[in-house]
Amino acid sequence: MSIRPVRSLSTARPTREGAGVHLHRAFSYGEVESVDPFLMLDDFRNDRPGTYEKGFPWHPHRGIETITYVLAGEVDHADSLGNTGMLAAGDVQWMTAGRGILHQEMPRGNAAGQMHGFQLWANLPRALKMTDPRYQDVPSAEIPVLTDDDGTVIRVVCGDYKGIAGPVDGIAAEPRYFDISVPPGRRKSFRVEVERHAFAYIFAGSGTFRDTSAPFGVLTEKETPDGREMHVRETTGNRSLVVFDRGDEVVVQAGDEGIRFLLVSGKPIREPVAWYGPIVMNTEAELRQAVKELQTGRFIR
C-alpha cells in the first residue's frame, strides 16, 4: 500500500452567491485539474438567518451535477420541470442538470437559526453533457451509517465502503462521498484507488494527514457582541481543504477533539472545461450556444 501525500492544503474563502448568501468556497474555477471530475465545493454553514435567508433564486444549470448535503436547517427547492421538495438535516440531493434545467434553492434555518451544509459540483463528460435532467433525492434515513471497531463513524452518501453501497447511483465519475468522524487520538486509513483524484474537507475538530504538519490555525469568521464580524485564527482545522497526490490510501491522525471531514474521490474525466457560471461545457462555442438559448427561451428542451 502507498500512502497518498498531500498535494495542497488551503482554507475555504469567504464569498457570496445567489441573492447574497454568505458562504465559504473551498475550490472553484481555475483549480479543477487536481480535483477533476469535481468543479466546486461550497460550505454554506451559517447561524444568522440574515446572511442566508434570501437564498438562491431561479438560475440555470447545464453540463454538470450538483450535490447538496444538508447538516442542519432545511432547503426548499423547485425547478422548471415542475419538481418541488424540501431537504432536511441529513438529506442529500444529487441533481444531474444534463442538457439544462432552471431551479431555485431557498434555505430555512432550524429553531436555533442554523443553516448548515455543503454543495459540490461534479462535471459531466462530453457524452453526457446533454443527457436528460434527473434528481436523486435521498432522505437521511436511507444513507448507510457504519461504525468501525475503533469508533470511527462513516456515512456512505455515494460509492462503496467495505461492501456497503451508498444510495446514490448511476453517476458518470463513479464518485465516493463519505462523511467521516474519527475519535480523538485515533489513526485511520481509507482505501482510495490510485487512479482517482481525492480530497478531504475538514469541518469539525482537528487532525493531520500524511505529510502535513501539526494542526494549524485557519481564518474563520466570528461575530462580536455588538454584531460585527471579525476574522480570528483558530487551531481547529475547520474549513480546511486537503487535496491528495497519487497513492492508494489516505491516512489521518485525529487530534484531541477528534476530526470530522468529507472524503470525496472520483475518476478524472480529463476533458477540456469551458465555464460560464452554472454552465460548464467543453468549448467556448458550446457556452455561447447555451447562453443564446437561455436568452431566447430555448434553454429547456
Side-chain angles (χ1 to χ4, degrees):
M1 301 288 285
S2 59
I3 297 174
R4 284 180 175 244
V6 172
R7 178 169 181 169
S8 66
L9 194 154
S10 59
T11 304
R13 304 175 298 276
T15 189
R16 298 187 187 188
E17 281 293 349
V21 176
H22 293 231
L23 51 82
H24 286 75
R25 183 155 292 161
F27 63 84
S28 184
Y29 183 79
E31 305 170 276
V32 299
E33 183 178 355
S34 60
V35 291
D36 177 15
F38 306 107
L39 298 165
M40 188 177 76
L41 175 63
D42 281 350
D43 175 347
F44 56 82
R45 289 176 293 155
N46 214 314
D47 296 339
R48 295 191 298 135
T51 63
Y52 61 75
E53 59 189 0
K54 293 184 179 179
F56 305 89
W58 292 99
H59 57 281
H61 283 293
R62 175 178 285 183
I64 65 172
E65 299 180 285
T66 65
I67 304 96
T68 305
Y69 179 26
V70 178
L71 299 178
E74 299 175 345
V75 178
D76 292 320
H77 65 89
D79 67 33
S80 53
L81 303 179
N83 298 306
T84 60
M86 185 269 289
L87 300 176
D91 295 350
V92 171
Q93 180 188 85
W94 201 297
M95 183 186 79
T96 303
R99 64 174 178 260
I101 198 166
L102 299 174
H103 79 151
Q104 67 171 355
E105 300 151 300
M106 305 304 290
R108 288 184 284 122
N110 60 17
Q114 297 171 318
M115 182 66 249
H116 292 185
F118 309 97
Q119 186 168 93
L120 175 68
W121 289 11
N123 201 6
L124 284 170
R126 185 189 302 272
L128 297 176
K129 288 285 189 189
M130 301 299 285
T131 192
D132 292 343
R134 70 163 180 155
Y135 282 103
Q136 295 185 69
D137 285 337
V138 183
S140 179
E142 293 183 11
I143 298 176
V145 180
L146 291 80
T147 302
D148 282 347
D149 293 341
D150 63 359
T152 297
V153 178
I154 303 99
R155 297 195 84 213
V156 185
V157 174
C158 183
D160 178 275
Y161 182 80
K162 293 186 176 181
I164 303 299
V168 177
D169 61 8
I171 306 302
E174 299 181 18
R176 294 196 181 110
Y177 188 126
F178 303 151
D179 175 353
I180 299 173
S181 298
V182 181
R186 293 288 187 180
R187 179 181 172 89
K188 189 74 175 178
S189 63
F190 301 91
R191 180 75 183 272
V192 181
E193 289 87 343
V194 68
E195 69 272 11
R196 289 173 169 264
H197 284 162
F199 68 85
Y201 185 72
I202 304 165
F203 62 98
S206 66
T208 58
F209 291 83
R210 179 73 175 187
D211 289 354
T212 63
S213 59
F216 59 97
V218 296
L219 205 61
T220 59
E221 290 183 354
K222 288 289 186 180
E223 185 176 341
T224 62
D226 61 1
R228 293 182 298 109
E229 285 186 355
M230 62 180 294
H231 290 89
V232 297
R233 193 162 291 277
E234 299 179 318
T235 56
T236 61
N238 184 32
R239 295 196 171 102
S240 301
L241 174 73
V242 181
V243 177
F244 299 101
D245 216 323
R246 295 175 65 84
D248 52 21
E249 69 173 344
V250 166
V251 177
V252 60
Q253 175 71 49
D256 293 340
E257 299 176 350
I259 187 171
R260 186 178 180 187
F261 60 97
L262 304 178
L263 180 60
V264 181
S265 67
K267 294 182 178 179
I269 295 173
R270 296 192 175 93
E271 292 181 353
V273 175
W275 194 328
Y276 181 76
I279 301 171
V280 182
M281 305 300 288
N282 294 109
T283 68
E284 293 297 324
E286 291 170 337
L287 281 186
R288 289 193 295 270
Q289 179 65 27
V291 172
K292 181 179 179 180
E293 291 176 2
L294 191 61
Q295 293 171 340
T296 57
R298 296 183 291 113
F299 189 79
I300 304 301
R301 303 182 183 181

